[in-house]
Every structure is written in structure tokens, then in C-alpha cells.
Amino acid sequence: MDHVDQHEERCRCRHRRVSAAGPRVEVPPALPTAGGGRTGAGPRGFDAEEALETAMLVFWEHGYEGASLATLTQAMGISTTSMYAAFGNKEELFRKALERYTEGPGGYLIRALKEPTAHEVATAILTGTVRTTTRPTPPRGCLGVQAALSTSDGGQAVRERFERAVAEGDLPPGADPALLARYVTTLAFGIAVQAASGIGREELQAMADAALRTWPLT
């Protein structure tokens, strides 16, 4: 079972509770009101790891703009106050969720950059994108695409890897690392969009294979 399959198995229980309990966050007790009542329920803990996993899946399904605070807090089972106390604002929560995604189902990118040749790097990125975006359980698509629409360009690490490939002679001297990085990330984003619309794994993999037939070789 590879890294993607392992995370797929965990996500099948999404709609279950995360098995390994993470640190619990205690929400401060509500303050008394002038009439002797209280402003809300009084201290309630929640599993921060479980809440972050849920937030990651909400962002994955709806995107940054589409995931409202109400949607997030309802899915996480916490109040807006608790969310701000534990994770910061929505943007900070998104960044934490993206980090979790990168370490989990999106970890193929980190592994791809360690491949010995630029062609194998590109192949691993596109194959990983196909596998991750065609999971048998929702959400489909790629959180990396959602991140690209909301944050800065994520292709810098790919470009730097291709610059190294040129310096090492793996890519021809006239190859443009920035252009190749943009080419691969654009293909990956396109695959994610197609996957979200229902295109199957085999067809997407065939598209990725065809796109790499024109890869510059030394």
C-alpha cells in the first residue's frame, strides 16, 4: 500500500472520527453575564488534529473561497471563537490544512523532486496527481489547485529542481527550467480540474503519458 492509498484508507473514515487522538484544545469557560447567566457553554475540549483533518477535507472539496467559516466550523464541530483560538483566521487555517495535505495525500510532490532525472520528476508529479485526484472516495480534485488559486505560485521547487538538472547535464543546455516547471504544473492543474469533473484515472494517465513524449532529452 503506497502513500496515496494509505491516506485514502484514512479518508474513508473521514466521515468517521480520526483513529489516533491528537492533542485536545480546551475552550475557555464562558463569562458570566450581568443577569447571572453565562455567555455560552462552559469549557469544552476538541481534538485539534481531527479538526484540522476535517478542515483540510472541507477546503479540498470546496476550495478556499467556497469554504465559508460557517461550513468549516460546522464540519469541525467547533465555534468560530474556538477556531480562531486554535488555528488563527481562515487564511492561517488554510495554510495549516495545506501543510497537512502536502504531508499526506499531496506528499507525492516532495517524493517526485527526489527522482534522479528531470523526466522522472515530471512523470512522478503527473502520475501522483492522477492517483491523488481520482481517489475512490470524495473529495476529488487536488487541494494544490485550490492553493494555487489563493496563494503564490507553487512551482518554485519544481523550477529549482529543473535548474539543477540543466546544471548537471540531465536536461539540454537550451532547456528553460522555468518554462518546463510551468508546463508540468499546468498539466497537473489541468488533470486535477478534469478529475474533479469526472474524467477517469486511465484516461487522465494516458493524457499525462502523451504530454511527456515531447520531453527534452540530452
Side-chain angles (χ1 to χ4, degrees):
M1 182 179 289
D2 63 19
H3 291 76
V4 173
D5 291 333
Q6 289 172 355
H7 199 273
E8 286 176 1
E9 180 61 29
R10 290 198 298 272
C11 285
R12 287 192 187 96
C13 306
R14 182 225 168 178
H15 305 291
R16 63 146 170 116
R17 299 183 70 83
V18 175
S19 57
R24 294 188 68 79
V25 176
E26 292 295 332
V27 180
L31 297 174
T33 66
R38 302 187 72 83
T39 58
R44 179 176 64 86
F46 65 91
D47 188 317
E49 289 297 310
E50 180 180 345
L52 184 57
E53 175 80 6
T54 301
M56 180 194 77
L57 291 165
V58 172
F59 281 126
W60 192 347
E61 181 175 359
H62 298 286
Y64 179 81
E65 295 295 338
S68 67
L69 284 178
T71 300
L72 285 163
T73 53
Q74 181 177 2
M76 296 163 75
I78 60 177
S79 68
T80 304
T81 301
S82 298
M83 190 201 81
Y84 279 113
F87 303 107
N89 60 25
K90 180 183 174 182
E91 182 178 353
E92 291 170 321
L93 176 61
F94 179 73
R95 292 186 183 280
K96 288 181 174 70
L98 184 59
E99 288 174 3
R100 188 177 185 89
Y101 174 85
T102 302
E103 294 168 357
Y108 65 87
L109 176 59
I110 296 173
R111 296 189 295 274
L113 294 174
K114 298 177 182 178
E115 293 290 341
T117 69
H119 183 266
E120 288 173 289
V121 169
T123 300
I125 290 173
L126 296 185
T127 299
T129 302
V130 170
R131 287 186 56 78
T132 304
T133 58
T134 55
R135 301 161 63 250
T137 54
R140 293 169 68 90
C142 181
L143 184 59
V145 176
Q146 313 290 5
L149 296 175
S150 305
T151 60
S152 60
D153 178 20
Q156 181 176 350
V158 181
R159 186 190 71 238
E160 291 173 352
R161 176 63 183 83
F162 290 163
E163 288 173 348
R164 194 182 90 198
V166 172
E168 294 173 347
D170 174 41
L171 284 171
D176 185 336
L179 182 60
L180 288 174
R182 175 64 65 186
Y183 177 65
V184 171
T185 53
T186 299
L187 286 170
F189 295 163
I191 287 169
V193 172
Q194 291 289 305
S197 69
I199 304 299
R201 179 173 291 189
E202 290 186 7
E203 184 175 349
L204 291 172
Q205 187 62 58
M207 292 166 55
D209 294 342
L212 290 176
R213 292 192 189 113
T214 59
W215 191 258
L217 300 173
T218 52

